[in-house]
Amino acid sequence: MKKAPARVGASVVATAALLLGDFSAASATADAHFVPEATKIRWNGTTATVAFLEVDVELDANVTTISTRVTAEVDAVCTNEESTLHIHRTASSLRTSDYLISFDGTVEGPATVPLRVQGLGVSGYTCVVEHISMTAELEDFRTGATLTHTT
């Protein structure tokens, strides 16, 4: 009678291992992390470029998969003679790509993400952008490393 529970326990462990993946890969990359000081965001109004550096990446593969979500928050002031409008718009976009892992365990990118903020112009008004705030959220799907960087 004690063997039946052991079989049930073994099948639960096997099922959990299949669902959760290989624990040895996760433990091998436990030190992987993005370097905040190496993260930079540039935006030209249509495309955001995020420079990043991930270090201490140890995987059996020579590539890893990183998602980059970029959010732009833009404040503009639009005037038409005595009328003034204050506009606040937000837009975000996500791109996922594979990146090569260097022999020294680093992953460098730029990640390019298409990003446009709609509604910053008003017909008949002259609009000037006063403030732009950019946020990049990086996540390495294989190592679990994450970073949120705001400029």
Side-chain angles (χ1 to χ4, degrees):
M1 188 154 181
K2 289 186 179 183
K3 288 186 181 182
R7 282 187 214 143
V8 170
S11 77
V12 169
V13 169
T15 302
L18 286 173
L19 293 174
L20 298 176
D22 182 7
F23 290 107
S24 64
S27 65
T29 60
D31 292 335
H33 62 280
F34 291 100
V35 179
E37 301 80 20
T39 307
K40 307 282 187 256
I41 307 168
R42 289 188 325 268
W43 182 51
N44 66 9
T46 61
T47 302
T49 303
V50 180
F52 66 86
L53 175 64
E54 184 181 11
V55 296
D56 298 330
V57 177
E58 296 179 21
L59 296 172
D60 291 335
N62 64 347
V63 297
T64 191
T65 304
I66 297 174
S67 74
T68 307
R69 176 181 301 279
V70 180
T71 302
E73 291 191 42
V74 181
D75 293 312
V77 174
C78 300
T79 56
N80 179 355
E81 295 181 19
E82 295 178 16
S83 179
T84 302
L85 300 172
H86 295 274
I87 298 174
H88 178 82
R89 295 289 185 263
T90 301
S92 63
S93 185
L94 174 73
R95 168 120 343 140
T96 301
S97 300
D98 289 337
Y99 294 88
L100 289 174
I101 302 168
S102 294
F103 68 93
D104 62 353
T106 61
V107 178
E108 286 188 80
T112 55
V113 181
L115 179 62
R116 291 180 186 255
V117 177
Q118 302 297 324
L120 292 175
V122 179
S123 180
Y125 284 74
T126 302
C127 298
V128 176
V129 172
E130 288 194 326
H131 179 74
I132 299 172
S133 175
M134 302 294 297
T135 301
E137 299 171 69
L138 298 164
E139 179 180 5
D140 187 321
F141 290 158
R142 297 184 186 194
T143 68
T146 62
L147 176 71
T148 300
H149 180 80
T150 301
T151 60

